[in-house]
Amino acid sequence: MKKIKLSSSIYEQRKILEAIHAFQGFCTISINYRDGYYCLYFSKCKHDENKTIGEFENYLIDLSNIRENL
């Protein structure tokens, strides 16, 4: 199991949850909030754990950059 921390001042919870939902078929991700950070725990990855986390982070960045109501 690996953990990443995401700052709540940079990432919206709604976008993180959307990304977690999109990755359901690739791994199990649990989340909790502590001291201004979202801690995400990755387990049961179908592919390399580090690669999966990197792809998740890229996906989340893309989601975060999409403007609402274009």
Side-chain angles (χ1 to χ4, degrees):
M1 178 183 302
K2 292 216 176 191
K3 174 179 99 169
I4 61 171
K5 288 173 66 175
L6 303 171
S7 174
S8 62
S9 65
I10 297 172
Y11 296 101
E12 296 178 38
Q13 182 183 22
R14 181 174 59 87
K15 297 289 185 175
I16 294 170
L17 294 174
E18 187 176 338
I20 289 172
H21 180 74
F23 271 68
Q24 281 181 333
F26 301 106
C27 60
T28 299
I29 305 170
S30 57
I31 183 173
N32 67 33
Y33 182 80
R34 185 175 192 170
D35 300 326
Y37 287 90
Y38 295 103
C39 296
L40 279 64
Y41 300 89
F42 290 75
S43 62
K44 300 178 186 173
C45 295
K46 290 188 178 183
H47 304 286
D48 178 74
E49 205 170 52
N50 292 323
K51 177 79 171 167
T52 301
I53 290 170
E55 293 296 332
F56 177 87
E57 290 172 322
N58 288 337
Y59 185 81
L60 179 57
I61 289 167
D62 285 344
L63 276 180
S64 298
N65 287 323
I66 296 173
R67 291 186 184 189
E68 301 294 325
N69 301 319
L70 290 178

